[in-house]
Amino acid sequence: QKEVEQNSGPLSVPEGAIASLNCTYSDRGSQSFFWYRQYSGKSPELIMFIYSNGDKEDGRFTAQLNKASQYVSLLIRDSQPSDSATYLCAVREGQNFVFGPGTRLSVLP
Amino acid sequence: SAVISQKPSRDICQRGTSLTIQCQVDSQVTMMFWYRQQPGQSLTLIATANQGSEATYESGFVIDKFPISRPNLTFSTLTVSNMSPEDSSIYLCSEVRGTDTQYFGPGTRLTVL
């Protein structure tokens, strides 16, 4: 099975800072990439998806994709304590989704 | 967005027994998945629930252990059979709408004693 890798963290940032979450994937043929947020004890919720190289912005969130480097990242601007959660990177392989191990983000007030 | 319900939300079971988890979605969808999330771990796909045909299982998961039903486009069940403590986990169903938008149910937290 193809792999999706993330730094498990925890990543700690002060409130108001930019949080940068990174993900690498092994399947060069992957075309669809996703970021999910999972609060403790809750199920994952989709934050963003990206298909094309470059940046995609949605509010405080920016996803960045570099297919040549097989790298996708998520930037969270003006981080808030409510952003504290585990962030899961996922890659579509055929009909299935392969998830990374997740990065735990802690935003300190 | 999607409305997905799962029953039960949690259960504590004895070794050797079986538990059936139900997943109901609010509109007809083609693709439904079942995942397992062990404590502190990410999501592992168990199988794709196919309407009108057998489920498609991922490597490491077999039908005898995790039988799945999908009688229609809004409902699916996952049974965890002959349970052992290693099956203690959160089980999540999901649906995919449009091309890639995946929504998850609230999960079933299973503890096997």
Side-chain angles (χ1 to χ4, degrees):
Chain A
Q1 181 174 321
K2 304 299 190 289
E3 293 185 349
V4 178
E5 298 184 350
Q6 297 178 254
N7 187 324
S8 62
L11 172 66
S12 295
V13 300
E15 183 174 356
I18 296 175
S20 178
L21 306 164
N22 303 318
C23 172
T24 59
Y25 59 95
S26 62
D27 184 4
R28 283 198 170 275
S30 297
Q31 298 294 323
S32 307
F33 308 87
F34 307 85
W35 283 100
Y36 289 81
R37 177 176 61 199
Q38 186 173 26
Y39 292 113
S40 180
K42 302 295 185 182
S43 56
E45 56 180 327
L46 181 66
I47 301 175
M48 292 188 70
F49 57 86
I50 186 167
Y51 301 143
S52 304
N53 278 329
D55 295 358
K56 179 182 180 182
E57 186 174 318
D58 184 0
R60 294 187 296 114
F61 298 97
T62 299
Q64 299 175 318
L65 174 61
N66 183 327
K67 290 184 180 179
S69 300
Q70 296 175 243
Y71 175 92
V72 58
S73 65
L74 180 69
L75 301 178
I76 306 175
R77 290 182 300 281
D78 188 24
S79 295
Q80 302 297 309
S82 58
D83 294 325
S84 297
T86 296
Y87 289 80
L88 301 167
C89 173
V91 176
R92 192 91 191 252
E93 293 182 6
Q95 292 193 99
N96 296 343
F97 296 79
V98 179
F99 284 81
T103 297
R104 191 153 48 94
L105 172 67
S106 179
V107 180
L108 307 174
Chain B
S1 64
V3 177
I4 306 174
S5 61
Q6 281 185 238
K7 290 194 296 187
S9 59
R10 60 178 62 229
D11 208 342
I12 300 174
C13 301
Q14 295 296 321
R15 179 196 298 262
T17 62
S18 298
L19 176 72
T20 295
I21 303 168
Q22 299 179 6
C23 178
Q24 179 78 53
V25 302
D26 64 339
S27 66
Q28 295 184 345
V29 292
T30 302
M31 302 192 69
M32 291 181 71
F33 298 103
W34 286 98
Y35 290 87
R36 181 173 71 184
Q37 187 171 31
Q38 296 182 307
Q41 304 296 315
S42 189
L43 283 74
T44 301
L45 180 64
I46 297 172
T48 303
N50 303 309
Q51 195 271 329
S53 64
E54 279 195 2
T56 304
Y57 290 85
E58 296 302 300
S59 176
F61 297 96
V62 295
I63 187 171
D64 290 347
K65 176 67 175 177
F66 297 101
I68 287 171
S69 77
R70 178 93 191 268
N72 56 54
L73 292 175
T74 63
F75 186 79
S76 179
T77 67
L78 169 74
T79 299
V80 187
S81 303
N82 188 24
M83 290 183 285
S84 67
E86 292 71 34
D87 295 319
S88 297
S89 188
I90 297 172
Y91 292 85
L92 294 148
C93 68
S94 77
E95 57 153 306
V96 176
R97 296 201 179 182
T99 305
D100 283 326
T101 306
Q102 182 171 207
Y103 298 97
F104 287 88
T108 296
R109 185 180 295 272
L110 171 63
T111 302
V112 184
L113 302 177

